[in-house]
Every structure is written in C-alpha cells, then in structure tokens.
Amino acid sequence: LAPIRDPDAVFLHLFTGGSTGRPRSWSKTARNLFGEAFFLAATLGIGEGDVLLSTAPPQHIYGLLCSVLVPFAAPARVLPETCLFPQEILSGLETAGVTILVGIPIHYRALRTADLSRHSLRLALSSAGAVDAGDGAFFRERTGLPVTEIFGSTETGGIALRTDQTAAGVCEPFTVVDWKVASGRLAVRSPFLSPDLPRDGYGYFLTSDRVAPSG
C-alpha cells in the first residue's frame, strides 16, 4: 500500500507516567509505534489464533502497543475492556479463551491467589516497572509460565526483554536495538526513539538507566 503520510513525521504525543518526576509529553512517529508493534508481534509469535486480555489502558504506550497496535499488526483478537480488578482478570482467563495476558506489576501482585490457573494462557507480559520476584515465582508456579517483562520507556520505546525474575535483572536487548554502556549508563540507538530525544554523532541517546553488561 502507498503511504498517505511520512512514516517519520510526528504521529501522536504520549505522556510519561511521571516515574522520573513531573510527567512530560513525547512525540512518536508512525515508524516508532507501528515498527515496534510489528517487531513485538513477530518476536513474541503473536498471530491470528491469539486472544489478548489487557490490564494496561491504551493511553499508556505499553497499553497502546500491546492492546491496540500489536493485535492489529498480528492480527489477533483482543477483549474490548481493560480489566483492572483481579476477578475481572481471572474471569477473562477462565471464560474468554485468553492466550496472552498484557499485565503490569501490580496486577501480578493481585493475582497471588489460589484461584489463578493457566487455562488457555501461553504468554504473560508485563511492563511499566519490574515484577517482584516473589510475584513472578507464584505466577510461574500456578501457570507454568514465566512473566515476560518488556524494558523500555515512553520516549525510547522497548529496549529489551526479561523472562526470568530470578536472573538478577538480566535482560536480552531487542535485535533491532543497538546499545552500549557510557559511564555506567545505558545508551541506545533504535528505530523506536522519539524524535524529541537528543542523540550523539552516532545516533545514540544516553538514558538515565544504570546498567552493566552480562555475558
């Protein structure tokens, strides 16, 4: 299909959650958002047989990507409501044939209940912060599935995945993201970076995240 707009022009603006201070708005391009959606769908093997249940509202970049754009790109089905309460989540898992849970850390804490069961679930996602190791271990014990965490930010987009909460914070970078460590901080070069971000002469943005290479 012929594009009707420049994929590198500003497509929309998203606010951060304010985890680093006062929330601010970041512009994102169509390439930023749809590129990441197609990448996640391919990397996580999401397809037309999948049904997604989301606990993340689509006003947040993680909810927008994983409950709107990834199902569009896959293509997959998604439940129309954002499930916020534990019983809503458990009911959806039991009755709706859900194969992918799009969760956030507080909901994995809330799902530490004897009623939790795997049902049709094959993948559990989380973002917007680290999942507590105990919460992740309980979820894995009850469902047989690890929680796959997406590490990134509104402004950078996704950077890496972590599938084992006991692995001392070790994340695996996205294959389309270049990274390096500069003075103990993570620098990334990625097609998902907001055009608002400053870059060095090689296209890297220096984040505020402290990291160390592993393996």
Side-chain angles (χ1 to χ4, degrees):
L1 301 176
I4 61 171
R5 63 186 301 147
D6 181 353
D8 293 312
V10 173
F11 183 62
L12 53 75
H13 296 266
L14 289 166
F15 279 96
T16 65
S19 58
T20 55
R22 184 178 180 180
R24 64 162 293 180
S25 173
W26 295 96
S27 63
K28 302 291 283 191
T29 68
R31 189 186 305 276
N32 290 159
L33 294 170
F34 286 94
E36 186 169 358
F38 279 100
F39 173 80
L40 287 172
T43 299
L44 299 172
I46 300 173
E48 60 184 357
D50 284 309
V51 179
L52 287 78
L53 181 156
S54 180
T55 72
Q59 293 90 340
H60 184 277
I61 189 169
Y62 169 57
L64 175 63
L65 278 168
C66 289
S67 68
V68 179
L69 299 183
V70 165
F72 170 80
R77 291 176 291 163
V78 59
L79 301 191
E81 63 276 359
T82 300
C83 297
L84 300 177
F85 298 101
Q87 196 54 50
E88 291 179 320
I89 301 169
L90 293 170
S91 177
L93 295 178
E94 181 178 0
T95 63
V98 171
T99 60
I100 299 173
L101 174 61
V102 179
I104 57 177
I106 190 63
H107 286 120
Y108 288 102
R109 168 64 53 86
L111 289 175
R112 290 185 71 160
T113 167
D115 295 331
L116 177 63
S117 184
R118 180 167 178 167
H119 299 293
S120 302
L121 204 62
R122 69 167 190 84
L123 178 64
L125 299 174
S126 183
S127 192
V131 172
D132 176 82
D135 298 340
F138 182 90
F139 188 89
R140 190 169 197 159
E141 178 183 334
R142 296 291 302 180
T143 66
L145 295 171
V147 178
T148 298
E149 297 180 80
I150 302 173
F151 169 65
S153 68
T154 303
E155 58 269 32
T156 63
I159 295 173
L161 292 174
R162 183 172 71 151
T163 56
D164 184 356
Q165 285 76 38
T166 66
V170 176
C171 298
E172 182 177 349
F174 288 178
T175 56
V176 293
V177 172
D178 297 320
W179 65 277
K180 61 183 180 180
V181 180
S183 302
R185 292 161 61 187
L186 176 65
V188 292
R189 181 174 59 192
S190 163
F192 311 143
L193 294 177
S194 166
D196 298 339
L197 292 174
R199 295 162 170 79
D200 66 16
Y202 298 97
Y204 283 87
F205 165 65
L206 182 64
T207 75
S208 297
D209 296 300
R210 296 187 64 189
V211 298
S214 176

